[in-house]
Amino acid sequence: MSLTYDVINPANESVVTTVALLNLEQTDAVIAQASKAFESWRTIAPGDRARLLRRFSEVVSAHREELAQIEITNAGHTRGNALWEADNVANTLMYFAAAPERLFGRQIPVPGGIDITFKEPLGVVGIIVPWNFPMPIAGWGFAPALAAGNTVVIKPAEYTPLSAIRLAELALEAGIPEGVFNVLPGKGSIVGNRFVTHPLVRKVVFTGSTSVGKSIMAGCADQVKRVTLELGGKSSNIIFADADIAKAAAGAPGAVFDNAGQDCCARSRILVQKSAFDSFMEHFEIAVKKFRVEDPNLATADMGPLISKKQFNAVESFLDEPVAFTGTAPSGPGYWMPPTVLLPKNTQSRSWREEIFGPVVSVMTFDDESEAITMANDSEYGLSGSIWTRDIGRALRVSRGVETGALSVNSNSSVRFWTPFGGYKQSGLGRELGPDALDSFTEVKNVFISQD
Ligand code: NAD
């Protein structure tokens, strides 16, 4: 039986194309091919592997407009975001292209000989990608994995397979050998699950929901398979009264409504110091009403539609709490929802505790630094967050106090390919990107050579 999936444009509900989904036998065949390709990919001279990755980066850059257009049409991403995402793939590839020639082991002083360590590739790495940022999240897995000498099998999310399919063609065009970079559109329960159970897949990099992440971790235990998890979030935007309130308020819509709130780093809780609440809300309302929700093809768009009707319904279920104000959104076909600001009754409210993954934010107040930290940490998640204050000591104390992996002070940006990214608690396991990413795609081998 052949499986297919109709890819929908979420901005107008039209069918973009139909994609064939792989079954179990096809999945196994691609994994076998990736395992075979590993034998030659791992032995390519470091300088040559680096050159191929630089070439791949350049080919991605040359196709940035086309890749961005795919994501606008397939995922409803705004033009500005989609271009950034294509560039992020190229930049991440270029950053990790420097790694093959710098994958140093160590020489450790021991008696009776010399001792050296090697960082060996793992083999086939399985990368399971969600629909919210199809290109960057795939790239954060495949760029360091390839640089370390692994081959990759990538399963895009059912909703958003098109950019990954195109990246596989571009990899070949760049000269990446057949079998090294493989994209397998398919269902999580078939293709994704096979990455977990297949003994030749030596590591799973999973980004997605915390519930599926837990089942992947449990499944990987069976073969003691290496796993990196990037999961959900419920991050706080903490605004102290001494901050530049106008600036914090102007940045707050983008910090949560970017990508229609379908962002694991979304600052979906705003904590404002009581004395600054009125001033913040006044500025924030103006900023939310100015936030342009419109056709994502327009260069002026700040936000597009939600990914699906299912996601729309899930987000809508949070809208039974008191509303402070909303922005606007187009009507007609497409999964459009206006940005919405809620004032939950207390910290037990659903909107305050659960990841919404839509354009909805909850605002509450706090009295002092210690209450702000306690409120921010009162969550099973710990991914990102922002702190707004002019007091550098306070910025430092609160940064150290908040239990999350990626914080920003007087800024809302948490992702840079130069720096580690990942979560505390149930937001994940391990870190991606940055100088240490290669460690999670290699095994350390220790070799002692006797001098006798
Ligand atoms: P999801 O968990 O439903 O799916 C993610 C991927 O896993 C998809 O490719 C899906 O097909 C696959 N999958 C589903 N069931 C599987 C199974 N049993 N075995 C193997 N693979 C399986 O998540 P989603 O709805 O696509 O994405 C939204 C979620 O992702 C949100 O909770 C969000 O917070 C999280 N997310 C986290 C990060 C991060 O870096 N921490 C980044 C983006 C998204």
Side-chain angles (χ1 to χ4, degrees):
M1 190 185 74
S2 69
L3 297 166
T4 61
Y5 181 80
D6 287 340
V7 175
I8 306 291
N9 180 338
N12 58 25
E13 301 179 47
S14 65
V15 176
V16 180
T17 185
T18 299
V19 169
L21 302 183
L22 272 64
N23 62 27
L24 203 57
E25 292 71 37
Q26 292 164 321
T27 304
D28 282 357
V30 179
I31 292 171
Q33 198 182 315
S35 178
K36 190 158 185 300
F38 172 62
E39 293 311 322
S40 46
W41 179 246
R42 69 178 305 186
T43 59
I44 287 181
D48 292 338
R49 195 174 330 126
R51 255 190 299 281
L52 284 167
L53 293 176
R54 283 198 288 272
R55 178 84 191 109
F56 189 10
S57 168
E58 286 157 7
V59 172
V60 169
S61 285
H63 290 80
R64 71 190 286 267
E65 277 286 345
E66 182 201 346
L67 287 165
Q69 194 55 53
I70 289 173
E71 225 59 295
I72 295 170
T73 309
N74 186 174
H77 289 193
T78 61
R79 189 176 152 70
N81 278 11
L83 285 167
W84 180 90
E85 291 159 22
D87 290 343
N88 183 262
V89 174
N91 290 335
T92 305
L93 275 167
M94 197 57 92
Y95 177 73
F96 285 107
E101 294 158 299
R102 296 166 178 80
L103 205 52
F104 304 123
R106 293 200 285 182
Q107 183 265 312
I108 302 170
V110 291
I114 59 166
D115 193 284
I116 46 176
T117 65
F118 296 93
K119 289 192 177 172
E120 303 280 18
L122 304 172
V124 180
V125 172
I127 302 169
I128 303 174
V129 183
W131 46 260
N132 62 332
F133 288 107
M135 279 196 281
I137 290 174
W140 304 349
F142 70 66
L146 294 174
N150 305 283
T151 56
V152 295
V153 288
I154 300 165
K155 194 204 87 62
E158 287 90 322
Y159 288 133
T160 54
L162 301 183
S163 52
I165 291 172
R166 186 67 184 123
L167 283 171
E169 293 166 356
L170 297 179
L172 285 179
E173 193 179 316
I176 303 288
E178 195 97 35
V180 169
F181 184 98
N182 307 278
V183 170
L184 297 80
K187 285 175 175 274
S189 57
I190 298 175
V191 179
N193 188 54
R194 193 61 181 137
F195 291 0
V196 174
T197 61
H198 199 301
L200 286 178
V201 177
R202 294 292 161 76
K203 164 157 188 155
V204 173
V205 178
F206 172 81
T207 304
S209 58
T210 297
S211 59
V212 175
K214 286 179 186 175
S215 73
I216 298 223
M217 189 173 174
C220 284
D222 196 41
Q223 294 165 20
V224 196
K225 190 170 289 196
R226 278 71 181 132
V227 63
T228 300
L229 303 173
E230 298 290 358
L231 309 174
K234 191 70 196 171
S235 298
S236 298
N237 189 355
I238 306 172
I239 296 152
F240 287 93
D242 69 14
D244 181 337
I245 297 295
K247 193 170 172 202
V256 57
F257 303 141
D258 185 59
N259 203 27
Q262 303 165 123
D263 181 343
C264 49
C265 292
R267 276 74 167 161
S268 57
R269 292 169 152 189
I270 298 180
L271 282 69
V272 191
Q273 197 159 21
K274 227 165 242 163
S275 57
F277 181 74
D278 290 342
S279 160
F280 174 80
M281 288 303 268
E282 212 173 290
H283 287 99
F284 187 39
E285 182 164 6
I286 295 167
V288 170
K289 293 204 182 312
K290 272 206 316 216
F291 206 71
R292 296 178 71 104
V293 183
E294 58 187 1
D295 178 354
N297 282 291
L298 298 172
T300 50
D302 291 316
M303 180 180 130
L306 290 164
I307 189 72
S308 65
K309 182 69 181 151
K310 185 172 165 221
Q311 190 65 13
F312 182 95
N313 291 340
V315 176
E316 202 179 31
S317 76
F318 285 90
L319 301 182
D320 58 356
E321 294 183 25
V323 174
F325 44 83
T326 72
T328 56
S331 51
Y335 314 119
W336 296 98
M337 184 177 280
T340 301
V341 179
L342 300 178
L343 295 170
K345 285 204 188 71
N346 56 51
T347 58
Q348 293 313 304
S349 301
R350 221 180 127 227
S351 79
W352 191 256
R353 306 211 71 79
E354 294 180 24
E355 182 178 52
I356 301 175
F357 229 54
V360 179
V361 69
S362 306
V363 187
M364 290 192 77
T365 59
F366 65 86
D367 280 320
D368 57 19
E369 218 174 284
S370 112
E371 193 186 11
I373 294 172
T374 303
M375 284 172 77
N377 288 342
D378 178 20
S379 170
E380 67 198 21
Y381 297 115
L383 188 55
S384 72
S386 301
I387 299 157
W388 294 81
T389 176
R390 288 189 174 105
D391 179 335
I392 192 166
R394 167 172 288 153
L396 208 49
R397 287 190 299 273
V398 180
S399 297
R400 301 300 298 268
V402 174
E403 297 164 345
T404 81
L407 276 167
S408 37
V409 175
N410 296 327
S411 155
N412 293 312
S413 85
S414 28
V415 172
R416 289 171 189 80
F417 55 84
W418 302 279
T419 57
F421 176 72
Y424 274 45
K425 299 191 269 186
Q426 295 191 32
S427 283
L429 188 72
R431 294 291 180 271
E432 301 191 290
L433 300 174
D436 302 323
L438 278 297
D439 289 345
S440 54
F441 292 101
T442 48
E443 292 284 4
V444 173
K445 180 180 286 175
N446 191 71
V447 177
F448 169 73
I449 305 167
S450 168
Q451 65 194 21
D452 296 329

